[in-house]
Amino acid sequence: MDYRIEEKEAFTVVGKAMHCTCQDNEHTRQIPRFWEDSHRDGTIARLNAVSADGVLLGVMTDMQPGKEEFTYMIASRTDQASVADGLDARTIPASTWAIFTAVGPIPETIQSLFGRIYQEWFPATGYEHAGTPEMEVYPPGDVAAEDYRCEVWIPIVKR
């Protein structure tokens, strides 16, 4: 697996959130629908307009051990002080991140990578999840292309 470890300062994201469940892998259907709906209703265009770097994020928050639920937010980093109507702001805390590269069409590639991170990478390393938000990082490009490159950022601490 292609990855690197980086320290990042805290930053602010704005976006639109939804509640997800992992029961019966429902999140693997909910999240792609949420992206489709957000393209249709103009949310993605609004996030691109306030983005500090042109990158869209899928942010997973409110995860708790033993719970099969979390909040998923389609977001962008922003330097703007005010939040547009209908969007929420969150602070992503300073973290040490394991940053994994995914190459291929979305959502299949990203879903496969998450499985490998949790089933292969975590058990084979001296790291554990830090318990703070994790992210999918989507640069501009054709997300259906075989050569599309994006990243998964997992907050980590040494065991």
Side-chain angles (χ1 to χ4, degrees), residues 30-31 50 72 74 90 93 113 127 151:
Q30 288 176 309
I31 293 171
V50 300
Y72 184 88
I74 298 174
R90 295 259 178 132
L113 179 57
Y127 293 102
E151 296 176 333

Side-chain angles (χ1 to χ4, degrees), residues 12-84:
T12 301
V13 300
V14 296
K16 181 178 171 183
M18 68 172 261
H19 180 78
C20 288
T21 179
C22 297
Q23 191 169 10
D24 298 324
N25 283 321
E26 183 61 24
H27 64 293
T28 64
R29 294 177 291 281
Q30 288 176 309
I31 293 171
R33 273 195 311 267
F34 186 44
W35 278 93
E36 289 170 13
D37 293 346
S38 295
H39 276 284
R40 263 195 307 277
D41 71 14
T43 299
I44 300 299
R46 291 173 62 207
L47 292 172
N48 281 325
V50 300
S51 176
D53 56 10
V55 173
L56 290 173
L57 307 170
V59 182
M60 282 73 59
T61 65
D62 307 324
M63 298 172 292
Q64 298 175 6
K67 294 249 184 179
E68 291 192 5
E69 300 174 349
F70 62 96
T71 301
Y72 184 88
M73 177 184 240
I74 298 174
S76 64
R77 290 178 235 193
T78 188
D79 298 327
Q80 297 184 8
S82 63
V83 177

